[in-house]
Amino acid sequence: MSGPILVFGARGQVGREIVALAAARGLAVAGLSRADADITNETTVRVAIEVHRPAVVVNGAAYTSVDRAEREPEIAAAANVTGPAVLAAVCASTGVPFIHISCDYVFNGAKKSAYVESDRVAPISVYGRTKAEGEAKVRELCPRHVILRTSWIYGLHGQNFLRNVVKLAAERDELRMVVDQIGCPTAAIDIAEAVLAVARKLATEAKVSGIFHFAGTGATSRHGFAAEIVQRQAIFTGRTPKLAEIKMAEYPVAAKRPLNCELDSSRFRAAFGYSAAPWQHRVAEVVAALLAPAMAKKVAS
Ligand SMILES: NC(=O)c1ccc[n+]([C@@H]2O[C@H](COP(=O)([O-])OP(=O)(O)OC[C@H]3O[C@@H](n4cnc5c(N)ncnc54)[C@H](OP(=O)(O)O)[C@@H]3O)[C@@H](O)[C@H]2O)c1
């Protein structure tokens, strides 16, 4: 590549994995947190791109609080619509290809099978609407773009379902989990691999562009996801809390969520030659990475 991969939103769960993986591979990479560069500020973004002269720009920044977005739609739109529009416009004017990350919540969840890229977007929440509008801005403003739509991200860092379940399972004897929302749990590390595969191709081939779905291999319910986490956690803690089944309609949250979030990643696999590990494998790895150090400390003391 002719310059580094420049990652905005580098303190987020995906952003930090991209920077760490690229660095581990010996690739030139620079990560900018919100404190380094606010993506809604065109001058800041332009200066960052002039200073780093990247081969590819990646947007890992976003407003991701699905429920809070219902009461602060302008703040969500600034990060999820204005920010991607600024990045896309600056990338277009400087000739830098742009990778943007989007999500399953752009769909309404009514489809009976996995979503493909040509399915119509029909968001049912403020967050989903801002993500769909952000995608539209990227498509309109930057010809050399790849939009990666992903789903149910988890990893070692940040706010995510796996870490919440691990915490709750350590404290409670029973957890209530939704059985009728289906999706593809996706490890942040797999998204980092996918982004590097896209970056390689974008930096060398002029014709790559468009929307691609990329998610963990396999689908499950929130209940199934939690069951796998709890089972893996029990290896370390010996505790197995009961998992009660509830319906999404009984789950008291501000934002509506799509029931079917399953994404079909076959177009991505065909274009970029990479598919994520089966989601259960990554759950085992992440739970072990979270809990093994504490266990080792306990044994040693
Ligand atoms: N989380 C999921 O389950 C999920 C599922 C599907 C798709 N996605 C998408 O995947 C992408 C990555 O998500 P993630 O879970 O890694 O998000 P995350 O952990 O919430 O990180 C987002 C990062 O963006 C930063 N940010 C927010 N506004 C910014 C701004 N104006 N300028 C610069 N940085 C800003 C945040 O900084 P602060 O911490 O300072 O706010 C945070 O570090 C997002 O596009 C998200 O919509 C997420």
Side-chain angles (χ1 to χ4, degrees):
M1 278 189 256
S2 59
I5 299 167
L6 179 59
V7 182
F8 288 86
R11 294 289 291 276
Q13 46 174 346
V14 170
R16 64 198 302 161
E17 292 287 3
I18 297 168
V19 173
L21 187 66
R25 295 270 160 82
L27 299 170
V29 63
L32 301 176
S33 70
R34 186 209 283 259
D36 301 321
D38 183 328
I39 60 166
T40 65
N41 184 324
E42 189 185 332
T43 308
T44 308
V45 168
R46 197 167 282 284
V47 167
I49 290 179
E50 275 166 13
V51 166
H52 290 281
R53 299 186 172 276
V56 180
V57 162
V58 182
N59 181 24
Y63 179 105
T64 55
S65 301
V66 177
D67 293 311
R68 218 169 61 212
E70 297 293 315
R71 38 173 222 277
E72 41 186 52
E74 291 86 7
I75 302 176
N80 294 348
V81 186
T82 309
V86 165
L87 289 167
V90 177
C91 283
S93 70
T94 49
V96 179
F98 179 40
I99 302 173
H100 175 64
I101 302 175
S102 191
C103 70
D104 45 3
Y105 281 27
V106 298
F107 297 117
N108 66 13
K111 194 181 175 191
K112 297 292 175 227
S113 55
Y115 280 95
V116 293
E117 290 80 353
S118 54
D119 285 324
R120 197 173 64 85
V121 300
I124 55 174
S125 64
V126 168
Y127 168 72
R129 200 162 60 240
T130 60
K131 293 299 291 184
E133 287 173 16
E135 288 184 358
K137 289 287 182 197
V138 171
R139 297 172 74 178
E140 176 195 326
L141 296 169
C142 184
R144 291 194 66 203
H145 69 263
V146 164
I147 296 171
L148 281 188
R149 281 196 195 126
T150 189
S151 140
W152 295 16
I153 301 174
Y154 66 93
L156 278 175
H157 308 284
Q159 280 278 346
N160 61 63
F161 183 83
L162 182 144
R163 293 189 59 190
N164 286 343
V165 169
V166 164
K167 182 169 179 293
L168 292 175
E171 297 165 357
R172 300 187 185 173
D173 295 326
E174 183 179 292
L175 313 184
R176 286 153 49 89
M177 289 292 152
V178 170
V179 279
D180 56 349
Q181 191 192 32
I182 306 298
C184 305
T186 309
I189 185 74
D190 280 327
I191 302 173
E193 284 282 8
V195 165
L196 294 191
V198 175
R200 259 193 312 273
K201 208 153 203 180
L202 265 177
T204 51
E205 286 180 33
K207 281 196 182 140
V208 183
S209 107
I211 296 185
F212 295 86
H213 289 177
F214 177 82
T217 298
T220 186
S221 65
R222 287 282 180 192
H223 187 279
F225 189 8
E228 189 70 28
I229 296 164
V230 164
Q231 198 189 326
R232 291 290 163 183
Q233 185 172 6
I235 296 168
F236 296 93
T237 62
R239 274 177 54 79
T240 318
K242 200 172 152 227
L243 290 182
E245 296 186 353
I246 58 164
K247 291 277 178 70
M248 178 68 99
E250 301 167 64
Y251 186 53
V253 280
K256 275 180 135 182
R257 285 156 166 78
L259 284 180
N260 179 15
C261 301
E262 187 179 350
L263 298 178
D264 180 331
S265 303
S266 39
R267 183 165 185 255
F268 182 92
R269 191 170 51 246
F272 300 102
Y274 176 70
S275 55
W279 67 269
Q280 296 92 333
H281 294 192
R282 288 288 193 231
V283 165
E285 287 171 13
V286 174
V287 171
L290 277 175
L291 299 180
M295 279 303 286
K297 227 170 165 181
K298 224 175 182 177
V299 171
S301 65

